[in-house]
Amino acid sequence: MNVFLAIVAILGVSASGPLMAGASAPALAIGFWRNALGTLAVAPFAARTVRGELKLLGRRGWRDVALAGLMLALHFATWVTALKMTSVAAATAMVSMQVVFVVVIDRLRGVVTPPAVVGGISISIVGVLVITGVDFSLSARALSGDLLALLGGLTAAVYLMAGSRVREIVSTTSYTVACYGISAALLALGCLVAQVEMVDFSHNTWLAIVGVTICAQLLGHSVLNHLLAVMSPALISLLLLLEVPGAAILAGIFLDQTPPIGVYVGLALILSGLVVVVLRRPAPSVVLAE
């Protein structure tokens, strides 16, 4: 059953990129609805505890929640935009570099980095350079998408680290409602300021938005959070890396995306390096970016 659940979760998170890339809606609107619908989906499970648990947060705790919500909003704004500008394979590979950013931030905070982890990071960076070099030869738009996806990985890393402190105090469901709610509010504000359409979408686009919420949030990260009870964080992190080839395969099937061979070479290098980083870094307390 656990193997079956792991397969379902990987398919769920892998569908995230292709569904958002295929949705004919502005990136900010997609990010808003994913967070808003995610909040509504989790809220019933947190209804009995959320108010009491959030009262336990002091000024620093609420500052961390606000930071996590802001970083999650920026993550979706940059990554979903990247999916519209470059290939799903490249964007998903770039955003997976969040693992590297977490290690780098830890190193800046004084955490010792094993030599093998430094080697893995170096391999992944070479992969990034390969992909960006290939995309630069194609168009400035694709290169900009790659850089936005990298920024999405950085903001996801900061979101993880801010959230890990909060989740030492409150439950996952209470934290999720607060964080997703803040992120949705910020993205709604961004939509209003940028004057982008938020409602008038086609039937297929609404299906894609609902689908990405169900696949990524409920069947993806929520199932992986459940599997943390029976699987190690390192194994869950490795399973999450399967999102990269999974998203590339699904984009090829449903979006007819066939990036140049160089993108797949870079993707392989990034995955190889990240596997080393995940296996050799100290066990993280939080492994999932939703």
Side-chain angles (χ1 to χ4, degrees):
M1 178 57 70
N2 289 332
V3 172
F4 172 75
L5 289 175
I7 293 172
V8 169
I10 295 306
L11 289 174
V13 295
S14 297
S16 174
L19 282 171
M20 289 190 291
S24 299
L28 287 175
I30 294 174
F32 161 72
W33 283 112
R34 177 169 171 175
N35 279 273
L37 294 174
T39 303
L40 292 175
V42 175
F45 301 97
R48 290 186 299 177
T49 60
V50 62
R51 186 172 299 178
E53 288 190 355
L54 293 182
K55 285 182 179 179
L56 299 175
L57 293 174
R59 180 178 298 179
R60 179 179 178 182
W62 274 110
R63 186 172 65 243
D64 287 336
V65 172
L67 175 61
L70 173 61
M71 290 298 105
L72 188 60
L74 291 174
H75 164 70
F76 281 115
T78 51
W79 186 43
V80 181
T81 302
L83 287 165
K84 306 287 186 180
M85 299 175 69
T86 188
S87 67
V88 170
T92 308
M94 295 296 185
V95 83
S96 69
M97 291 287 287
Q98 64 177 281
V99 178
V100 169
F101 287 123
V102 168
V103 174
V104 171
I105 293 172
D106 275 342
R107 181 68 185 88
L108 293 175
R109 295 165 64 187
V111 178
V112 177
T113 305
V117 172
V118 175
I121 291 174
S122 301
I123 294 172
S124 293
I125 291 174
V126 171
V128 169
L129 294 176
V130 170
I131 291 177
T132 53
V134 171
D135 281 348
F136 177 74
S137 67
L138 294 176
S139 70
R141 179 180 175 83
L143 177 62
S144 297
D146 293 341
L147 297 178
L148 279 173
L150 273 177
L151 183 57
L154 174 59
T155 52
V158 179
Y159 154 73
L160 275 178
M161 303 188 82
S164 67
R165 295 192 292 266
V166 178
R167 288 168 75 171
E168 294 175 357
I169 305 171
V170 301
S171 66
T172 299
T173 51
S174 296
Y175 165 70
T176 299
V177 168
C179 183
Y180 281 13
I182 291 172
S183 180
L186 291 172
L187 286 165
L189 179 61
C191 288
L192 294 175
V193 171
Q195 297 183 332
V196 302
E197 180 58 54
M198 297 177 64
V199 179
D200 189 17
F201 306 138
S202 68
H203 176 70
N204 287 339
T205 293
W206 277 115
L207 285 178
I209 291 172
V210 173
V212 75
T213 303
I214 295 173
C215 290
Q217 245 74 8
L218 303 182
L219 297 181
H221 291 287
S222 295
V223 172
L224 287 172
N225 270 319
H226 168 74
L227 290 175
L228 276 172
V230 293
M231 295 181 179
S232 68
L235 179 55
I236 296 294
S237 296
L238 287 174
L239 289 175
L240 276 172
L241 294 182
L242 293 176
E243 176 186 359
V244 181
I249 292 170
L250 291 176
I253 296 173
F254 294 106
L255 301 179
D256 197 27
Q257 287 191 5
T258 54
I261 189 65
V263 169
Y264 292 108
V265 172
L267 187 152
L269 287 169
I270 288 174
L271 284 178
S272 299
L274 292 182
V275 167
V276 175
V277 172
V278 168
L279 291 178
R280 296 299 183 182
R281 65 183 286 220
S285 56
V286 177
V287 298
L288 300 180
E290 302 176 26

